[in-house]
């Protein structure tokens, strides 16, 4: 076992993720090298030497117990994205715990109460540490599962080139001297276009991956004729990705881990998956061949984000790619069947909160604001347990998406651009608000603590787009250690 902070041997390559029992697991943060595809190897940070980290599996009712050990030179933490853990388990340095320093460990423990697809990632300097690979999937299985095969695909994007050379620098915004590169100030959009500020050009993200592999290096997804297949799509990157399944009808059965009521059959439409979001799709393998599940877009990098669905013993040619085709986008607010909603626009709320999201240039630097302010000067949302809170998002940025993520709670989408949700109740923890869009959501304050509410383009969060949901009556004993260097974003 290497000493904390040592660099990997030249032959230390990141592995494919393994499924592990989350009732008793150790995750070790350690460096490695990721061979994403032939000819491209990147220095990365990993959990247990794999990209993504191990896929944690538990069943509803079990207790998750994860020991984090740190063998990196920097402090790290683990946040359980989308899961309503007790506040002290949320993994936010300086808020709920001290980051785990090199050579130290920390035990996370919580009850698995809500089935679905979630993920975990470092929340210490997360804009950089997530970008370097410190993430993985956590799946809470429903004992009533009704599928034959179950695949988890984690989407991400990387830089393969720096100044025209193969990337031999750390993937994050810090190099070995601790200096920031231009990468740290980048913003992200669905098409890699330039943002409001000329410095925010994301075109260097030229390598797209699925489970740490790109293009032909991505393992095929094996199926047999007649099987029901579930695919769990998780976006761990900072760009939205439009995903198309060839050759099959499918259903979107869950978003952010929460079930869709009576999902309709979909074919030849794309699903837009924003940073932090998850979508579970299901299909019946009823069309033998070799079919692509691929990203759509006009930039060259999309060709790396494609997996082959391979029917056993079928040697047919792989279906033709059509990544540039402008296929219809599935609109979730019109999808599925109506059912009993927890909230509606007519609900009597205890609070109404407006969050105007914007991009500004201040003293030559781009910042991201909520109601004109950047964190820590944003207004906290102060709640009492049991409060019903309505939040209105308005994206005033000209070209920046803002995937807004609430820790510790689920919320329901009530309306989009003034139109009430027509389909299934939409319960989520991350919502992508595109330029000019207006969403109304609602949540119940049912999990006391101090919770972050921020944009999950983590560059935007690091540059100001954060607020807090704060329960004043919550008593906590944690006192931050100023020597640790806690850095929540």
């Amino acid at each position: 076992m290497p000493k904390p902070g040592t660099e990997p041997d030249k032959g230390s390559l990141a592995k494919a993720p393994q499924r592990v029992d989350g009732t008793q697991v150790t995750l070790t943060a350690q460096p490695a090298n990721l061979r994403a595809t032939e000819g491209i190897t990147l220095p990365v940070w990993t959990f247990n030497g794999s990209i993504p980290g191990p896929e944690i599996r538990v069943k509803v009712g079990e207790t998750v117990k994860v020991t984090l050990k740190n063998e990196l030179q920097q402090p790290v933490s683990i946040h359980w994205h989308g899961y309503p853990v007790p506040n002290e388990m949320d993994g936010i340095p300086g808020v709920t715990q001290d980051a785990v320093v090199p050579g130290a460990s920390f035990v996370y423990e919580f009850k698995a109460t809500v089935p679905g697809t979630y993920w975990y990632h470092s929340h210490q300097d997360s804009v950089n540490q997530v970008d370097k690979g410190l993430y993985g999937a956590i799946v809470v299985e429903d004992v009533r599962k009704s599928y034959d095969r179950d695949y988890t695909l984690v989407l991400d994007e990387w830089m393969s080139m720096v100044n025209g050379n193969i990337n031999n620098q750390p993937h994050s915004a810090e190099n070995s001297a601790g200096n920031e590169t231009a990468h740290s100030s980048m913003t992200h959009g669905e098409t890699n276009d330039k943002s409001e500020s000329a410095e925010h050009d994301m075109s260097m993200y030229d390598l797209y991956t699925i489970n740490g592999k790109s293009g032909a290096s991505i393992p095929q997804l094996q199926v047999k004729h007649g099987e029901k297949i579930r695919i769990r799509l998780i976006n761990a990157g900072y760009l939205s990705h439009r995903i198309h399944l060839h050759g099959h009808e499918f259903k979107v059965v869950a978003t952010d881990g929460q079930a869709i009521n009576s999902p309709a059959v979909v074919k030849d439409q794309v699903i837009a998956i924003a940073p932090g979001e998850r979508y579970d799709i299901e299909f019946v393998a009823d069309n033998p061949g070799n079919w692509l599940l691929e990203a759509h877009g006009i930039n060259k990098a999309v060709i790396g984000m494609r997996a082959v669905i391979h029917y056993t013993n079928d040697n047919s040619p792989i279906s033709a790619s059509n990544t540039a085709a402008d296929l219809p986008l599935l609109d979730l607010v019109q999808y599925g069947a109506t059912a009993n909603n927890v909230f509606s626009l007519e609900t009597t709320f205890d609070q109404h909160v407006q969050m105007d999201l914007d991009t500004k240039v201040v003293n030559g630097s781009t910042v991201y604001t909520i109601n004109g302010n950047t964190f820590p000067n944003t207004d906290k949302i102060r709640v009492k347990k049991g409060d019903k809170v309505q939040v209105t998002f308005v994206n005033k940025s000209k070209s920046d998406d803002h995937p807004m993520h609430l820790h510790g709670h689920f919320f329901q989408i009530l309306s989009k651009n003034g139109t009430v949700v027509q389909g299934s109740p939409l319960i989520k923890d991350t919502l992508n608000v595109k330029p000019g869009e207006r969403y109304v959501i609602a949540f119940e304050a049912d999990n006391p603590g101090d919770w972050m509410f921020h944009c999950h383009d983590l560059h935007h969060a690091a540059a100001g787009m954060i607020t807090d949901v704060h329960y004043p009556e919550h008593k906590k004993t944690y006192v931050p250690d100023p020597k640790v260097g806690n850095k929540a974003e």
Side-chain angles (χ1 to χ4, degrees):
M1 187 69 68
K3 295 179 180 179
T6 58
E7 291 300 316
D9 296 332
K10 291 182 179 180
S12 179
L13 290 176
K15 304 170 293 186
Q18 301 295 312
R19 288 184 180 176
V20 297
D21 178 4
T23 62
Q24 193 77 37
V25 62
T26 297
L27 296 180
T28 303
Q30 56 193 190
N33 294 298
L34 174 64
R35 182 172 291 164
T37 192
E38 188 66 30
I40 299 178
T41 300
L42 308 172
V44 295
W45 289 354
T46 73
F47 289 117
N48 292 12
S50 70
I51 296 286
E55 181 181 328
I56 296 171
R57 287 265 175 163
V58 293
K59 293 180 173 59
V60 171
E62 294 182 333
T63 295
V64 180
K65 188 173 182 180
V66 177
T67 300
L68 169 61
K69 293 185 177 180
N70 186 8
E71 293 181 357
L72 295 169
Q73 295 179 352
Q74 302 294 326
V76 298
S77 76
I78 293 179
H79 165 60
W80 308 96
H81 183 111
Y83 216 76
V85 299
N87 192 233
E88 62 271 18
M89 294 290 105
D90 199 38
I92 310 304
V95 179
T96 65
Q97 70 169 95
D98 286 327
V100 180
V101 297
S105 63
F106 184 88
V107 178
Y108 296 91
E109 188 169 344
F110 55 92
K111 192 76 171 286
T113 56
V114 186
T117 304
Y118 307 92
W119 63 299
Y120 62 89
H121 60 80
S122 179
H123 226 291
Q124 165 71 9
D125 189 23
S126 55
V127 62
N128 295 316
Q129 293 195 4
V130 175
D131 219 17
K132 285 182 70 72
L134 286 179
Y135 57 76
I138 175 169
V139 175
V140 179
E141 296 178 338
D142 192 329
V143 294
R144 300 168 297 177
K145 68 178 184 179
S146 60
Y147 41 85
D148 299 298
R149 300 201 194 209
D150 182 5
Y151 290 104
T152 301
L153 306 183
V154 183
L155 314 179
D156 199 4
E157 59 277 337
W158 309 75
M159 293 185 294
S160 72
M161 306 289 284
V162 174
N163 296 325
N165 298 311
I166 293 296
N167 188 351
N168 60 4
Q169 296 294 325
H171 179 55
S172 77
E174 293 186 2
N175 61 26
S176 58
N179 298 318
E180 290 194 350
T181 68
H183 185 192
S184 69
S185 62
M186 299 303 171
T187 186
H188 300 64
E190 188 171 312
T191 60
N192 282 5
D193 291 337
K194 291 185 178 180
S195 175
E196 269 97 335
S197 172
E199 68 180 288
H200 288 196
D201 177 4
M202 294 315 298
S203 61
M204 72 283 293
Y205 272 82
D206 63 339
L207 181 71
Y208 290 2
T209 61
I210 296 176
N211 290 348
K213 297 295 183 181
S214 187
S217 296
I218 299 171
Q220 294 183 343
L221 308 183
Q222 303 293 325
V223 303
K224 291 182 179 179
H225 189 272
E227 290 182 329
K228 180 184 283 188
I229 311 299
R230 175 172 285 221
I231 297 179
R232 304 173 188 268
L233 298 160
I234 301 172
N235 191 346
Y238 301 150
L239 295 167
S240 289
H241 297 289
R242 295 187 175 215
I243 302 299
H244 172 217
L245 173 63
H246 287 233
H248 298 81
E249 296 178 336
F250 67 94
K251 296 178 180 179
V252 178
V253 295
T255 176
D256 290 357
Q258 311 312 298
I260 299 291
N261 185 52
S262 298
V265 171
V266 176
K267 187 173 184 181
D268 289 331
Q269 294 186 53
V270 293
I271 308 167
I273 308 176
E277 285 188 317
R278 290 89 63 211
Y279 284 84
D280 290 20
I281 67 171
E282 284 187 357
F283 67 94
V284 175
D286 58 2
N287 191 12
N290 288 282
W291 300 98
L292 288 176
L293 177 74
E294 66 174 355
H296 272 227
I298 59 174
N299 58 65
K300 294 180 180 179
V302 297
I303 65 173
M305 190 174 279
R306 61 175 58 152
V308 175
I309 296 168
H310 173 67
Y311 281 72
T312 303
N313 300 322
D314 192 302
N315 296 318
S316 304
I318 298 172
S319 61
S321 171
N322 64 345
T323 55
D326 187 17
L327 296 179
L329 175 66
L330 178 65
D331 185 2
L332 274 188
V333 301
Q334 307 277 346
Y335 185 67
T338 57
N340 292 330
N341 288 301
V342 177
F343 299 108
S344 74
L345 291 174
E346 286 71 44
T347 298
T348 299
F349 291 97
D350 299 288
Q351 282 197 63
H352 295 263
V353 177
Q354 176 91 9
M355 295 176 66
D356 291 342
L357 313 173
D358 207 351
T359 306
K360 295 182 178 180
V361 177
V362 178
N363 297 325
S365 296
T366 301
V367 297
Y368 301 91
T369 63
I370 298 175
N371 296 336
N373 296 315
T374 57
F375 187 81
N377 297 318
T378 50
D379 293 330
K380 292 179 181 291
I381 302 173
R382 290 179 168 83
V383 298
K384 300 187 301 293
K385 187 175 182 181
D387 279 358
K388 296 177 175 63
V389 183
Q390 185 187 87
V391 179
T392 300
F393 294 124
V394 179
N395 187 350
K396 295 188 173 182
S397 297
K398 294 179 181 178
S399 59
D400 287 317
D401 289 5
H402 297 305
M404 298 301 293
H405 171 53
L406 173 59
H407 288 214
H409 303 74
F410 298 111
F411 55 76
Q412 181 184 333
I413 302 174
L414 303 183
S415 70
K416 176 184 179 182
N417 298 332
T419 300
V420 176
V421 171
Q422 300 294 316
S424 169
L426 286 178
I427 311 299
K428 292 175 63 62
D429 56 71
T430 307
L431 173 63
N432 194 31
V433 187
K434 300 180 75 64
E437 288 185 337
R438 178 188 185 94
Y439 280 93
V440 178
I441 68 166
F443 70 93
E444 181 179 351
D446 57 3
N447 195 3
D450 290 318
W451 302 98
M452 296 184 74
F453 202 164
H454 64 96
C455 182
H456 218 275
D457 180 329
L458 296 176
H459 295 278
H460 296 182
M465 193 168 280
I466 305 171
T467 188
D468 292 310
V469 173
H470 175 63
Y471 292 70
E473 76 272 19
H474 176 68
K475 306 298 181 185
K476 64 180 182 181
T477 58
Y478 163 64
V479 178
D481 183 347
K483 298 178 183 178
V484 169
N486 290 311
K487 187 177 181 183
E489 287 295 349

